[in-house]
Amino acid sequence: MCGLAGEFRFTPVEHPSRPADLAAVERITHHLAPRGPDAWGFHSQGPIALGHRRLKIMDLSDGSAQPMVDNQLGLSLAFNGAIYNFPELRRELESLGYAFYSEGDTEVLLKGYHAWGAELLPRLNGMFALAIWERDSQQLFLARDRLGVKPLYLSRNGERLRFASSLPALLQGGDINPMLDPVALNHYLNFHAVVPAPRTLLANVEKLPPATWMRVDAQGRVEQQVWWQLHYGPRSDEHDLSLEDWRDRVLESTREAVAIRQRAAVDVGVLLSGGVDSSLLVGLLREVGVEDLSTFSIGFEDAGGERGDEFQYSDLIARHYGTQHHQLRIDEREIIEQLPAAFRAMSEPMVSHDCIAFYLLSREVAKHCKVVQSGQGADELFAGYHWYPQVDGAQNPYGAYRDAFFDRSYDDYAATVQQPWRLDHDAAGDFVRQHFAQPGASAAVDKALRLDSTVMLVDDPVKRVDNMTMAWGLEARTPFLDYRLVELSARIPGRFKLPDGGKQVLKEAARLVIPSEVIDRKKGYFPVPGLKHLQGATLDWVRELLLDPSQDRGLFEPAALDRLLSDPHGQLTPLRGSKLWQLAALNLWLSEQGI
């Protein structure tokens, strides 16, 4: 788990080549220091420069230092992530005649690419973003994992391509106009702050989509391909499977996903909310023999009549399994103090209240361990959210999804932004409608699950966990996003997911492992009531942030701000989030990035 950066300087036909800007790559790389606090390195050769910040987990020796250069093979690699099945791949490569000089996954990637090229990617079980320089062909190969767990941001012009593990780091290289993208702003304000790849909020910065590789040649020509897709519906031999059959398959697949993520993880932690997903991880880690297990929970002050913690359930699991439990309670003052730092750590602005929770919880966890398992993805894979039954029974599935999930109608959006930023069409709605119309998911609920699993999950929960944990040099591993479990979940019919308040088949699997008290309860979230029910000092802080003349970027209509500030508790989204907080979050992120 690390941070990578680089620049590829193009060579136009009949023009002399120019070396890559190593100084720019150095600035970008060192901005990634929190992602890789243990070591750093650079490799520069003509038109290519690679940078890397390292978090030592898989192989603690310098043998796995990056960028890794193999002069015999003519390849150089900078890589962020973890390949869990690297021992098996290494043995296969050794049988092909490759010799290894290190003990980690980095060299396996380098030699695997030499052996199989882009066909290496489907063989990988892990999370990754990688850049491989092919010296002899003068080509750069970039790739990202199936579900986009590891990020990769890009900046292209006619002279060069730059890339980095975070957007704020990429800006440190200079030569990027940080102009906002009106279409991305439309997505941000409507689609619950989700800006689907390749867009980012900035018009001149892209992100490589998940499950995609890109090859760039010396003239800047780009070849790009999606290398994995998620298809819904059972296979021909699975149509007659019962709930119990699917339950057993889910439990076995989840058990394997948890176990393989324990490779090269000595000090083990779990982010324990007290819900089914994180509690199941604790139970399965105990099953695979983890004795010295630490668990971490966070809570906040109550606000608006809403409880700010779920300690009763996380405590229950901690007692049941005898974990070394750490309980962190945060007051309103510390939220306000730490919000700017949390937003500096965001590659893109996020509005979910639990961003600050993950940021502060990661600060605590990093004091005790380097690797933590987290339950992200289970709701999107197994239909755990309240809008899935609404979509399943709707004559217009797209309309039902939009009504339940979108933060604003088009008219509300148009009344919120000033004319220069206002689109004359519903860009986010068009995106979702087109996604629902794509082949590969015929049932209405499967259309929503596919959208949430491959788009919303990537650019909300997964990005949130990556950004907030890596801000403290903490590696988060997400077993529910093991591609084998993801593909299995997509084959399970909706009738085995939707009952029992959602996630029926996963809950039935969990009953074989963990106490029923954490299963048979109302669904909880990572609550931060103070950011949902804006009041007191927090409301004053938000008001000052939005009305400060020095922070006025001409984005929002003054009448919309007045309306939201006059009724902060009545202006909520369908997901019961604060529309006021969404505007404040965007302003705060832009300020913290110096935009």
Side-chain angles (χ1 to χ4, degrees):
M1 186 72 74
C2 311
L4 73 132
E7 177 179 293
F8 181 19
R9 179 71 61 166
F10 306 142
T11 305
V13 177
E14 299 181 355
H15 284 75
S17 61
R18 293 176 57 190
D21 188 344
L22 180 58
V25 173
E26 288 177 342
R27 292 194 300 273
I28 296 169
T29 302
H30 287 311
H31 195 80
L32 296 167
R35 298 183 73 95
D38 296 334
W40 65 87
F42 299 95
H43 171 65
S44 181
Q45 185 180 53
I48 191 72
L50 299 175
H52 190 264
R53 295 288 315 205
R54 186 179 178 200
L55 178 63
K56 294 182 179 181
I57 292 177
M58 285 289 192
D59 179 4
L60 302 183
S61 75
D62 291 337
S64 288
Q66 296 188 51
M68 182 174 283
V69 179
D70 191 317
N71 289 317
Q72 183 178 357
L73 301 182
L75 298 175
S76 307
L77 166 70
F79 148 65
N80 167 30
I83 307 303
Y84 306 119
N85 65 331
F86 80 93
E88 292 83 356
L89 292 172
R90 175 174 173 147
R91 287 194 290 271
E92 188 174 356
L93 288 164
E94 286 174 333
S95 72
L96 296 175
Y98 288 91
F100 287 83
Y101 307 95
S102 65
E103 301 301 322
D105 53 353
T106 304
E107 191 178 2
V108 170
L109 278 178
L110 196 64
K111 290 176 175 172
Y113 182 77
H114 184 264
W116 301 306
E119 291 306 310
L120 164 70
L121 301 176
R123 297 171 178 260
L124 302 177
N125 185 348
M127 51 183 179
F128 56 88
L130 56 84
I132 298 177
W133 171 245
E134 303 175 20
R135 180 194 62 205
D136 298 336
S137 67
Q138 296 282 286
Q139 291 186 337
L140 177 68
F141 182 82
L142 305 173
R144 197 170 172 205
D145 63 62
R146 293 170 178 85
L147 290 159
V149 180
K150 292 290 102 185
L152 191 59
Y153 290 88
L154 313 172
S155 167
R156 278 188 280 181
N157 60 30
E159 297 181 346
R160 53 97 182 125
L161 167 69
R162 284 193 191 141
F163 50 91
S165 293
S166 84
L167 189 155
L170 195 59
L171 295 178
Q172 300 304 307
D175 191 26
I176 297 176
N177 179 1
M179 179 178 65
L180 298 188
D181 176 356
V183 175
L185 180 61
N186 176 277
H187 277 91
Y188 172 86
L189 292 172
N190 290 324
F191 197 17
H192 202 55
V194 173
V195 178
R199 293 184 186 274
T200 73
L201 198 66
L202 301 187
N204 295 307
V205 178
E206 300 177 353
K207 54 200 173 203
L208 187 68
T212 300
W213 61 255
M214 173 188 288
R215 183 174 281 114
V216 187
D217 71 10
Q219 283 71 52
R221 292 181 296 241
V222 174
E223 179 187 5
Q224 188 166 310
Q225 184 172 312
V226 175
W227 61 269
W228 177 84
Q229 290 181 303
L230 187 58
H231 297 285
Y232 280 75
R235 297 186 302 220
S236 58
D237 61 342
E238 295 175 329
H239 285 285
D240 296 329
L241 294 183
S242 65
L243 174 61
E244 290 73 23
D245 294 329
W246 287 117
R247 175 201 66 191
D248 293 345
R249 295 184 182 203
V250 166
L251 181 57
E252 182 59 27
S253 187
T254 308
R255 184 179 283 122
E256 291 175 359
V258 169
I260 200 171
R261 279 161 180 75
Q262 278 314 106
R263 290 180 169 178
V266 178
D267 301 315
V268 183
V270 175
L271 302 182
L272 180 60
S273 68
V276 175
D277 313 329
S278 59
S279 299
L280 179 57
L281 298 185
V282 173
L284 292 177
L285 283 166
R286 278 288 194 239
E287 275 194 8
V288 300
V290 176
E291 297 295 331
D292 189 20
L293 182 59
S294 296
T295 50
F296 303 86
S297 300
I298 193 167
F300 298 86
E301 292 181 358
D302 299 350
E306 185 172 2
R307 187 172 176 84
D309 69 72
E310 295 186 318
F311 287 156
Q312 66 183 101
Y313 299 108
S314 56
D315 287 351
L316 186 156
I317 291 296
R319 287 194 302 270
H320 184 83
Y321 290 103
T323 68
Q324 298 180 30
H325 191 52
H326 306 262
Q327 195 181 90
L328 186 64
R329 184 178 291 278
I330 306 297
D331 61 24
E332 181 184 29
R333 175 190 54 79
E334 188 167 8
I335 290 177
I336 296 174
E337 287 178 353
Q338 295 298 319
L339 271 173
F343 272 76
R344 279 196 299 276
M346 293 180 186
S347 275
E348 300 172 75
M350 294 177 274
V351 299
S352 296
H353 306 140
D354 52 6
C355 283
I356 186 65
F358 276 111
Y359 181 79
L360 294 172
L361 187 57
S362 298
R363 179 185 67 181
E364 178 67 20
V365 176
K367 299 174 184 176
H368 302 275
C369 53
K370 279 192 170 184
V371 176
V372 66
Q373 293 208 12
S374 185
Q376 271 60 47
D379 287 309
E380 292 83 359
L381 299 176
F382 293 99
Y385 293 127
H386 70 272
W387 54 85
Y388 296 123
Q390 299 173 34
V391 172
D392 182 61
Q395 287 195 336
N396 178 6
Y398 158 74
Y401 181 92
R402 197 191 194 294
D403 290 344
F405 189 82
F406 270 45
D407 292 334
R408 288 173 174 79
S409 66
Y410 172 80
D411 290 341
D412 188 0
Y413 148 79
T416 299
V417 298
Q418 294 189 28
Q419 180 60 48
W421 303 101
R422 189 180 307 150
L423 301 181
D424 61 2
H425 62 287
D426 181 17
D430 293 344
F431 174 87
V432 173
R433 185 186 294 107
Q434 292 164 9
H435 205 280
F436 269 49
Q438 292 174 3
S442 55
V445 69
D446 286 344
K447 295 177 186 294
L449 287 167
R450 180 181 60 182
L451 176 70
D452 287 352
S453 297
T454 60
V455 178
M456 184 271 281
L457 175 66
V458 175
D459 275 295
D460 189 5
V462 165
K463 181 167 64 184
R464 183 188 326 152
V465 172
D466 172 81
N467 287 188
M468 299 299 101
T469 54
M470 291 308 296
W472 299 100
L474 177 66
E475 177 172 312
R477 298 180 176 179
T478 47
F480 290 109
L481 300 186
D482 187 297
Y483 79 94
R484 300 166 300 178
L485 180 55
V486 171
E487 291 175 347
L488 172 64
S489 75
R491 300 199 305 271
I492 302 174
R495 67 180 182 275
F496 297 127
K497 298 175 183 174
L498 294 169
D500 197 17
K503 295 196 292 192
Q504 183 190 34
V505 65
L506 182 63
K507 290 177 179 177
E508 290 304 307
R511 291 184 195 282
L512 303 178
V513 180
I514 63 175
S516 60
E517 293 95 319
V518 298
I519 302 173
D520 300 319
R521 71 175 184 93
K522 183 179 178 181
K523 177 177 175 57
Y525 296 90
F526 224 160
V528 189
L531 295 182
K532 178 178 177 181
H533 306 280
L534 297 173
Q535 59 191 36
T538 306
L539 179 58
D540 293 339
W541 182 81
V542 166
R543 180 181 288 108
E544 182 178 347
L545 181 66
L546 288 171
L547 299 183
D548 181 352
S550 69
Q551 299 298 315
D552 184 4
R553 299 172 177 83
L555 291 176
F556 308 129
E557 286 285 359
L561 293 179
D562 290 343
R563 184 174 63 253
L564 291 170
L565 286 167
S566 65
D567 185 20
H569 305 129
Q571 300 286 328
L572 299 179
T573 72
L575 291 176
R576 310 304 294 169
S578 168
K579 293 182 180 179
L580 183 60
W581 169 245
Q582 190 179 42
L583 305 190
L586 178 56
N587 249 26
L588 180 58
W589 183 81
L590 291 170
S591 296
E592 292 304 319
Q593 308 309 330
I595 299 172

